[in-house]
Every structure is written in structure tokens, then in C-alpha cells.
Amino acid sequence: MTGAERLDHALKNGRFSHAYVFSGSEGTGTLARLAAKTLMCLNDGEKPCGVCRSCRAFESGNHPDVVSIGPDKKKSVSADHIRADVVADAYIRPYSAAYKAYIIDQADLMTPAAQNILLKTLEEPPPYGIFLLCAVNEDLLLPTVLSRCVRIRTSPLSVGESARLLGERRPGMPEGERRFYAALSGGGVQRAYELSEPAGDKTRALAIRDKVLNNLEDIENISAAEILLRAKAFEEYKDDARLLLDIMALWYRDLAVYEAGGEIFQTDIKEKILQNAAKGINNVFYVEEARARLSANTGFLLTIEVLMLKLGRKII
Ligand SMILES: [Zn+2]
């Protein structure tokens, strides 16, 4: 089920929680408002009906029991704002509806102090209070706040969108490189930002990718003994095993996608992808197998050895 479907299900079954985080690239505010409108609709049948007193008040933007807040001119949601318009207001019972909805747009711009103040209300919400937090990047919300909320992801950020947001925090970084971090982080901008933190003359992720490309490009043409030597050389990344496998998976994913005529993520190494594109999609599965082996606590070296022997077509 998508986030929106799960929400719809909850609304229809009357199992609405007190606090939600809507996160994703866009449409979070729309979804939050639709949820509030549905919840407050006075019609017994299909909700939201669009014609009852509540729906009409909602559409006019003047529903007395809906409070919408967002960032101020400093582009943050301050502690004072949350204290005055949410926490203090939540003590006042609804005017006409059974619920009172608080919609916080760009809730990821709440300062940590604001989040801590909101947290107390989320921990002990009034029985009629519904708190709908909209966020592009839910990673910016405190774990304590997130743990109090049902999380609805609208759609994960696309690699392009995530790369664009990363560019706002790392101006000057070439787009191809930003796309690499965005693809590795699966749309999480904070994760992409952390991955793009330089460690020495290049980031750890780029250093690992260089090593992956240097060791895998010709792997089908070397002996099994040579493959085992190369596998051993990957031990320096033992503590970053997940990242290493993510980078390998991304490499083979791009090769397979390029071959199929789709959109590659790592546009910064397009030439290399073009040269290697004939390598089959099986390699993606071999990397996934290795990931599963690591989760099952098989040792790092053995996992990498088996993986590389498969990539080199020495075993199947
Ligand atoms: Zn209605």
C-alpha cells in the first residue's frame, strides 16, 4: 500500500492516530489537508463530502478547528510559534467539530527547541487533538518526535530531486556527483549530505567507487587466484561493508539500466558505464545475495570472495 492508501484505510476504519508525519517530495501539505478534511467531515456517507458545514468551512480556509502554521521569514518554525499556536491553543476545546487539527507545513524547519516543545504535546495529546506534520525531509525531525508519529511517505524523493536539494547544501558540487550520493542514499537528503562529506582529498564513497571500478571492470578476464587477491584488498572497507555493497549494486544497476535504455543515476561516470554496459543484470542479483549473506552473519572476506568469483564467472 502507498502512504496515501494506508491513510485512506485508517480514515475509513476510524483508526486515526493523534500524530502523523507526511514526508516526501511534494504533495505532503495537500495530503495532510485532505486527511483533516475527511476526519472532520460531518457527512455520514462518503467523506469528505465537500458540501457539509465543515467541508465548506475547510474549503474557505476559515475552519475554526483547523490551525495551519509554517515557517516564518527566517525560514524556520520557532519555539515561540509552536508554543503559542499549537501547545497553548491545544488546551482550548474544538469550537464546532469533534477534532482539532494542527497542520504544520515544512515541519522539518522546526528548530530543535520547537520540536522539543511540540514533543510534550505529542506525548500527551488532548483527546480531540490531531497533529499533522508535513516534511520534505523527515530526517531533520528529532527521533523522539518521529517515534510519536505515524509516518506516511508520499513518494520517496527522486534521485534528481534529492540531488537538487543536496546542491542547496553543497553548492559547487557537480551534478553527476550529487546524483551519485543521492542514488546511494535512496532519496534521503541528510544521508546524501553525510555521504558527500569529504574525508581526505575525496569522500569515502568516491574512494570506494574508484576501488570498485578498478577491481571489477576486468574481473571476467583474470584468474580465480587473482580474484581472491583482489577480494582480500577490499578488507580495508570491512567496516563499511554495507556502503561497499551499495556502491557495487549501484554500478551494476546503472550498467543494466543503460543496456535497457533507461535513465542512469551516475551521470558523472557515463563514459565508463557506456564501455561496460554489456555486463548482465545477473551481477545485480549477485550483489544482493552477498548483502543477504552479510545479514546472516557470514564473514566479510568470505562473502566478498564468493561475490567476486561469481562476478568473474568462476563459479555460478
Ligand atoms: Zn463534509
Side-chain angles (χ1 to χ4, degrees):
M1 271 200 274
T2 65
E5 283 165 352
R6 273 198 298 140
L7 178 64
D8 194 41
H9 198 249
L11 284 169
K12 284 188 176 135
N13 290 284
R15 288 187 292 100
F16 208 82
S17 300
H18 279 288
Y20 284 80
V21 171
F22 297 88
S23 68
S25 54
E26 56 199 332
T28 55
T30 311
L31 196 60
R33 282 172 177 77
L34 183 62
K37 190 177 174 185
T38 305
L39 191 69
M40 293 176 145
C41 174
L42 302 170
N43 188 20
D44 288 333
E46 189 73 12
K47 299 179 186 217
C49 68
V51 293
C52 73
R53 183 163 45 86
S54 173
C55 284
R56 279 184 287 122
F58 205 98
E59 280 164 22
S60 71
N62 292 316
H63 199 300
D65 295 316
V66 177
V67 177
S68 279
I69 71 163
D72 56 23
K73 288 200 185 86
K74 287 184 194 150
K75 297 196 173 162
S76 68
V77 182
S78 69
D80 286 347
H81 202 168
I82 293 291
R83 197 180 286 119
D85 292 331
V86 180
V87 176
D89 191 85
Y91 285 106
I92 306 166
R93 297 190 57 84
Y95 177 75
S96 65
Y99 302 100
K100 231 174 147 171
Y102 295 86
I103 300 171
I104 306 177
D105 285 307
Q106 293 182 264
D108 41 353
L109 296 182
M110 278 191 288
T111 62
Q115 295 190 47
N116 276 317
I117 287 168
L118 178 65
L119 179 62
K120 296 200 181 74
T121 302
L122 295 183
E123 282 170 347
E124 289 176 30
Y128 47 80
I130 306 288
F131 302 87
L132 306 167
L133 282 60
C134 310
V136 170
N137 181 7
E138 68 172 30
D139 293 350
L140 297 178
L141 292 169
L142 298 175
T144 45
V145 169
L146 280 176
S147 72
R148 290 280 158 187
C149 300
V150 175
R151 289 145 86 169
I152 307 264
R153 286 172 185 274
T154 52
S155 60
L157 286 185
S158 68
V159 166
E161 178 67 3
S162 177
R164 189 186 65 74
L165 289 171
L166 180 60
E168 287 177 6
R169 298 175 71 179
R170 298 225 184 264
M173 179 176 281
E175 197 203 347
E177 205 178 312
R178 282 187 272 124
R179 286 173 63 88
F180 167 61
Y181 300 118
L184 268 187
S185 64
V189 182
Q190 182 59 26
R191 170 84 175 135
Y193 182 72
E194 286 162 11
L195 284 171
S196 61
E197 186 68 38
D201 60 345
K202 58 172 62 175
T203 65
R204 190 153 178 87
L206 276 184
I208 295 177
R209 188 175 69 176
D210 283 353
K211 185 152 185 152
V212 164
L213 296 188
N214 289 337
N215 284 281
L216 298 189
E217 269 190 288
D218 62 348
I219 198 161
E220 289 177 48
N221 308 324
I222 60 173
S223 69
E226 173 71 7
I227 288 177
L228 293 176
L229 278 177
R230 286 191 188 183
K232 191 146 181 57
F234 273 109
E235 276 205 302
E236 68 170 305
Y237 296 122
K238 189 175 172 181
D239 294 335
D240 271 325
R242 301 267 141 218
L243 183 59
L244 172 64
L245 290 178
D246 284 346
I247 288 170
M248 286 187 181
L250 187 58
W251 165 243
Y252 287 118
R253 178 262 176 213
D254 266 352
L255 295 186
V257 163
Y258 184 86
E259 179 77 356
E263 188 197 4
I264 59 167
F265 288 143
Q266 302 168 94
T267 45
D268 56 330
I269 52 166
K270 193 172 177 192
E271 287 301 312
K272 272 201 181 296
I273 290 169
L274 203 140
Q275 289 158 16
N276 289 278
K279 295 175 185 171
I281 189 148
N282 281 345
N283 289 344
V284 177
F285 297 124
Y286 293 150
V287 178
E288 293 310 321
E289 267 177 26
R291 213 195 292 271
R293 268 198 202 100
L294 268 187
S295 303
N297 275 330
T298 304
F300 174 83
L301 183 58
L302 180 60
T303 302
I304 296 296
E305 282 175 348
V306 171
L307 169 61
M308 289 178 66
L309 287 169
K310 286 190 173 187
L311 294 173
R313 304 293 184 265
K314 300 297 183 269
I315 53 174
I316 47 168

